[in-house]
Amino acid sequence: MSEKDSRQIKKFSNLSHKTFLGIVLKGFMDMMPLNLAVIPWGILCGSLAIQRDFTILEALLMPLIVFAGSAQLVATELIGGNAPLATILFTTFIISSRHFLYGLALRDKLKVLPSKWRYPLGFLLTDELFALSGNSKSFKGKVRLIYAVASGGSFYLCWLLWNVIGIFAGSYLPDLTTLGLDFAIAVTFIALVIPSIKNIPILVAVIVSGVCSVIFKLLAWELDLVLASILGMCAGYNVLRYQKRNEQMNDENKL
Amino acid sequence: MTLLIIFLMALITFSTRYLLIHPKIPLKLSARMVSFLSFSAPAVLTAIWVPIIFIREGQLALSLSNPYLISASIAVYVAAKTTNIYFTLLSSGAIFIILRITM
C-alpha cells in the first residue's frame, strides 16, 4: 500500500458521522426530482403485474431484482399474454441494451473500484443514476462513491415503494398514465440535458439524437433508442474532431 | 414458471449494466473512444425525452394544440436561462397543467 493510499484511508475513516449523513442527504435530494418523476410508472408497473395475475411475490421481485422501467412494463405485458420465453428475454435484452453505453462510458472510472463498490453501483446504474454521473470527478474518492450509492440507492428504494403502492393499491387508483404524467420524466431530462450543452459538438449530438429518436420511434424500430443515441454521439464526436483539426490548421498557418 | 422468467430477466438487466464495467473484460478504451463516449449522456437522455414530447398516440404531434410541445419549449428555455432543475420543473409543469385543463 502506498503512502498516498494509507493517507487517503485515514482521511476516509475520519469522515465524521455528520458529513456522511450530509453526503447521503445530498445524493437523495439530487435524485429527488427523478424519484418523483417515475411515480406514475412505478405504480403502473405494480398494478399491471397484479392485473396480469402475478403473485405478490412475483410482482415484488420485478422491482427488487429486475429493477427496470420500460423493460419491466413490457415484460409484464408479455408474461401476462403468455408470450414465449425467448420473446420475453430478447425484448428485455433489447430494451436494456442502452445500459451497455453507460457501462462503456463509465468503464474507466468503475472498473478500478473494489468489488464491494463496483457490484452495487453496476446494479444501480439506471438511466437516472447515469444522468447524475456526468461530472468528470464522479465516482472518484469515497465521498463521491457514497454520494453515488446514496442517489442510486434512493432511486431503487423509491422505485420499489411506487411498485408496492401499485401492487397493493393499484385497483383503487385511477390510471395515472392517462393524466399526462409522462411529461414529468421528459421535463426532468430536459432540465438535466439542456444545461449540459456547453459547446457546439454537444449541441449537434443532442439535435441529431433527438431528430433520429423521433424518426426511429415512428418507424417502430426495436433499437430506436440505442441507434439514435449512437448516431448523435457520432455526429458530436465528428464535429469535435473537425473543430480540433481547424484549430490545428489555424495554429500552423500562424507559424 | 413466472419466477424463473423473472430471475432470467434480472440476470439480463444486471448483465447489461454491469458487464462493461467488469475489470476482467479485455477491453481498453482508446482516447478517441473516450471522447466519443463523452457524448453518451446528452445523446441517450435526449433520445428518451424527445419522443415523449413529439410523438403522441403513435403520431408526430407538431401542432400548437400539443400541450407537451408548448410546455417542453418553455422547459428548454427556462433550463437554458436558469440551469436550475427545480425552477424548470415547476414553471413548465405549471404551464402543462394549465394547458391540460384549459385545452
Side-chain angles (χ1 to χ4, degrees):
Chain A
M1 196 185 290
S2 75
E3 196 187 321
K4 195 178 156 211
D5 284 343
S6 52
R7 218 173 36 227
Q8 278 216 315
I9 284 174
K10 203 169 163 211
K11 201 169 96 196
F12 295 158
S13 53
N14 287 344
L15 209 69
S16 75
H17 216 64
K18 214 171 143 190
T19 39
F20 176 80
L21 278 179
I23 301 161
V24 171
L25 193 66
K26 174 150 176 38
F28 188 78
M29 289 314 289
D30 286 358
M31 192 58 100
M32 185 66 87
L34 294 150
N35 289 341
L36 298 178
V38 297
I39 289 178
W41 280 274
I43 293 178
L44 177 71
C45 277
S47 63
L48 187 73
I50 296 302
Q51 284 167 31
R52 296 293 176 268
D53 291 328
F54 281 48
T55 63
I56 289 184
L57 172 69
E58 290 160 355
L60 281 173
L61 280 174
M62 290 293 264
L64 263 176
I65 63 171
V66 178
F67 183 39
S70 42
Q72 207 179 304
L73 208 59
V74 173
T76 304
E77 284 285 12
L78 288 173
I79 295 171
N82 283 321
L85 178 63
T87 308
I88 298 167
L89 297 183
F90 183 68
T91 307
T92 307
F93 179 78
I94 295 290
I95 298 176
S96 207
S97 55
R98 66 184 183 283
H99 294 102
F100 284 126
L101 277 176
Y102 305 166
L104 210 53
L106 299 175
R107 175 171 172 80
D108 286 346
K109 284 178 177 175
L110 295 181
K111 72 172 184 191
V112 293
L113 296 176
S115 43
K116 70 163 184 176
W117 288 105
R118 203 177 56 240
Y119 284 109
L121 283 171
F123 179 76
L124 294 173
L125 191 54
T126 52
D127 299 322
E128 287 75 10
L129 182 59
F130 184 65
L132 293 190
S133 307
N135 194 300
S136 60
K137 291 189 196 122
S138 59
F139 305 109
K140 285 179 181 164
K142 183 141 176 177
V143 167
R144 285 173 185 276
L145 285 175
I146 295 171
Y147 171 81
V149 171
S151 52
S154 82
F155 186 75
Y156 177 69
L157 291 178
C158 286
W159 180 248
L160 182 63
L161 180 64
W162 312 145
N163 270 262
V164 168
I165 293 175
I167 291 169
F168 293 105
S171 50
Y172 305 106
L173 295 169
D175 181 359
L176 294 169
T177 51
T178 58
L179 297 177
L181 288 167
D182 46 350
F183 183 70
I185 195 85
V187 76
T188 313
F189 282 174
I190 289 175
L192 289 169
V193 169
I194 300 299
S196 79
I197 304 177
K198 297 210 170 82
N199 52 43
I200 302 290
I202 300 179
L203 179 66
V204 171
V206 163
I207 291 172
V208 171
S209 165
V211 171
C212 290
S213 69
V214 170
I215 296 172
F216 297 165
K217 188 103 186 176
L218 288 171
L219 293 171
W221 285 1
E222 301 226 335
L223 278 168
D224 54 345
L225 179 55
V226 173
L227 278 176
S229 308
I230 290 177
L231 285 176
M233 290 162 70
C234 285
Y237 174 70
N238 279 302
V239 172
L240 181 70
R241 279 188 54 187
Y242 175 79
Q243 280 185 341
K244 281 193 176 154
R245 237 190 350 251
N246 262 5
E247 267 170 39
Q248 258 174 5
M249 270 160 59
N250 285 342
D251 287 349
E252 277 161 22
N253 286 346
K254 274 178 205 151
L255 297 173
Chain B
M1 185 60 188
T2 304
L3 272 181
L4 176 70
I5 299 173
I6 293 172
F7 279 112
L8 290 172
M9 282 177 63
L11 206 63
I12 291 173
T13 53
F14 179 71
S15 308
T16 57
R17 287 174 196 151
Y18 181 76
L19 190 68
L20 294 182
I21 62 168
H22 192 66
K24 296 252 168 66
I25 298 286
L27 180 70
K28 196 117 175 59
L29 302 182
S30 63
R32 284 183 164 196
M33 193 64 182
V34 171
S35 161
F36 171 73
L37 287 167
S38 70
F39 293 97
S40 57
V44 182
L45 297 177
T46 301
I48 295 174
W49 73 257
V50 172
I52 299 176
I53 302 302
F54 286 94
I55 302 178
R56 304 309 315 163
E57 285 153 22
Q59 301 279 326
L60 189 63
L62 284 176
S63 87
L64 285 177
S65 62
N66 174 6
Y68 286 78
L69 194 55
I70 297 170
S71 317
S73 311
I74 290 162
V76 169
Y77 179 78
V78 175
K81 281 281 167 203
T82 68
T83 71
N84 182 312
I85 183 164
Y86 285 100
F87 204 68
T88 307
L89 291 178
L90 286 177
S91 57
S92 64
I95 302 282
F96 183 75
I97 291 167
I98 293 168
L99 289 174
R100 290 281 295 193
I101 293 170
T102 56
M103 278 164 88

